[in-house]
Amino acid sequence: MKKILFIYAILITFNSLNAKEYFPNWGKTGHRTVGAIAENYLSCKTKKKIAKLLNGESLAYGSIYADEIRSNPKYNEFAPWHYVNFDSGKKYGETPVNPKGDIIQGIKTCILKIRKSETSIADKQFYLKFLVHLIGDLHQPLHVGNAADKGGNTIAVEWFNTPSNLHRVWDSEMIDSYKMSYSELTKNTKKLSKTELATIQSGSLLDWVYESKALADKVYASAKKEDHLKYKYMYDFFPVVEKRLHKSGIRLAYLLEHVFSKKTAWMESFFKGI
Ligand code: ADE
Ligand code: ZN
Ligand code: ZN
């Protein structure tokens, strides 16, 4: 009996380590924060359209759907949508683009599907929830990472004396260690001026990608394999995480205003270079 329990424990540990490595996301709290922040920046008109489409479900609630379906093989084709890897110093497309898709193509597809009148309601719900999730993922710097280390997933580090990896530290360890709910994190955001908001909302999708890439370079320089990360790392980088979540929510709201409007002129500049 003891032997069976022992084997069972090993299997569970092995499975959960694997799952964590290959289930890429900001973590539930991070994604919900992005959705809730976005709702605070939406116009009443857009909020109503979204509430109608999602049957009253909040963006925070829908934000983790794209990760929940990852365990269902039916949705395997969407797995590469959560990230994009390319070499630092290179532009997107200079090295071969993943033919199975990436976060850039994923975001573009979601937007086009939601706007298309022929798309079914069920599909519009699917792609809207996916879009909310992907705008969050795009702002986790290591989702615009290096292919060789799977966006930091293979850089093993310790987080407060427990085995982790650099990707997971940025996805969820820092946020979870802060021990605030998503609604508390949402309330905790700094009030921004009109100019600050306009600066954050400006730029194309590729500009946002390169911003994450530049931050990813700094994250890679911040830690190395086998590092024991704790208070000092949290002190240095949690404020960065908070700013990324805030920025992500603001940009999501801005994008949704456009996605749910009849206007089309914004699309050319937003998708420039893709
Ligand atoms: N798997 C491979 N590359 C990844 C990345 N940059 N982010 C998350 N998961 C990945
Ligand atoms: Zn991730
Ligand atoms: Zn994800």
Side-chain angles (χ1 to χ4, degrees), residues 24 83-85 142-143 145 150-151 153 167:
Y83 58 89
V84 62
N85 293 320
L142 293 176
H143 277 239
K150 296 198 168 108
N153 269 305
H167 189 98

Side-chain angles (χ1 to χ4, degrees), residues 141-185:
L142 293 176
H143 277 239
V144 187
N146 297 334
D149 54 50
K150 296 198 168 108
N153 269 305
T154 64
I155 302 177
V157 297
E158 268 192 11
W159 180 252
F160 285 96
N161 306 317
T162 45
S164 187
N165 66 63
L166 191 59
H167 189 98
R168 208 191 312 162
V169 166
W170 277 82
D171 260 356
S172 52
E173 305 274 32
M174 282 194 273
I175 297 176
D176 293 346
S177 294
Y178 199 61
K179 295 203 182 302
M180 261 201 182
S181 66
Y182 80 85
S183 35
E184 286 167 331
L185 284 168

Side-chain angles (χ1 to χ4, degrees), residues 32 64 72 90 122 166 199 230 274:
R32 286 176 178 149
I64 54 168
N72 184 343
K90 288 254 164 64
L166 191 59
T199 310
K230 43 183 97 170
I274 297 167

Side-chain angles (χ1 to χ4, degrees), residues 51-255:
K52 188 170 173 225
L53 179 58
L54 295 182
N55 297 321
E57 201 176 286
S58 71
L59 293 184
Y61 188 88
S63 68
I64 54 168
Y65 173 74
D67 276 332
E68 284 169 349
I69 60 170
R70 297 207 70 192
S71 48
N72 184 343
K74 185 178 145 194
Y75 298 106
N76 277 353
E77 64 181 288
F78 301 104
W81 279 20
H82 295 255
Y83 58 89
V84 62
N85 293 320
F86 54 94
D87 297 341
S88 293
K90 288 254 164 64
K91 293 282 175 213
Y92 175 69
E94 273 179 27
T95 45
V97 165
N98 187 352
K100 292 187 174 156
D102 56 38
I103 194 165
I104 300 171
Q105 302 306 328
I107 289 172
K108 189 173 180 181
T109 306
C110 288
I111 293 174
L112 297 179
K113 290 273 188 188
I114 298 164
R115 285 179 64 87
K116 219 173 164 173
S117 54
E118 300 89 71
T119 308
S120 70
I121 299 290
D123 280 355
K124 281 189 183 179
Q125 291 166 337
F126 177 92
Y127 288 106
L128 173 57
K129 287 189 278 190
F130 229 112
L131 180 61
V132 173
H133 181 89
L134 294 182
I135 296 298
D137 273 351
L138 183 66
H139 288 76
Q140 202 285 48
L142 293 176
H143 277 239
V144 187
N146 297 334
D149 54 50
K150 296 198 168 108
N153 269 305
T154 64
I155 302 177
V157 297
E158 268 192 11
W159 180 252
F160 285 96
N161 306 317
T162 45
S164 187
N165 66 63
L166 191 59
H167 189 98
R168 208 191 312 162
V169 166
W170 277 82
D171 260 356
S172 52
E173 305 274 32
M174 282 194 273
I175 297 176
D176 293 346
S177 294
Y178 199 61
K179 295 203 182 302
M180 261 201 182
S181 66
Y182 80 85
S183 35
E184 286 167 331
L185 284 168
T186 302
K187 274 196 207 122
N188 234 17
T189 46
K190 186 177 155 242
K191 180 108 185 73
L192 298 174
S193 71
K194 277 208 167 116
T195 331
E196 284 173 311
L197 278 177
T199 310
I200 290 174
Q201 291 166 345
S202 68
S204 65
L205 178 53
L206 270 190
D207 290 332
W208 297 354
V209 170
Y210 295 136
E211 181 191 86
S212 249
K213 186 71 180 169
L215 185 53
D217 290 342
K218 289 187 188 160
V219 173
Y220 279 121
S222 72
K224 57 182 187 324
K225 233 182 173 75
E226 313 302 341
D227 270 358
H228 291 193
L229 308 178
K230 43 183 97 170
Y231 297 104
K232 176 72 168 74
Y233 199 82
M234 188 74 182
Y235 177 82
D236 286 341
F237 293 105
F238 187 67
V240 180
V241 171
E242 282 185 301
K243 282 198 195 99
R244 295 303 286 166
L245 295 176
H246 195 183
K247 204 172 223 184
S248 182
I250 291 168
R251 285 178 173 164
L252 174 61
Y254 161 82
L255 197 56

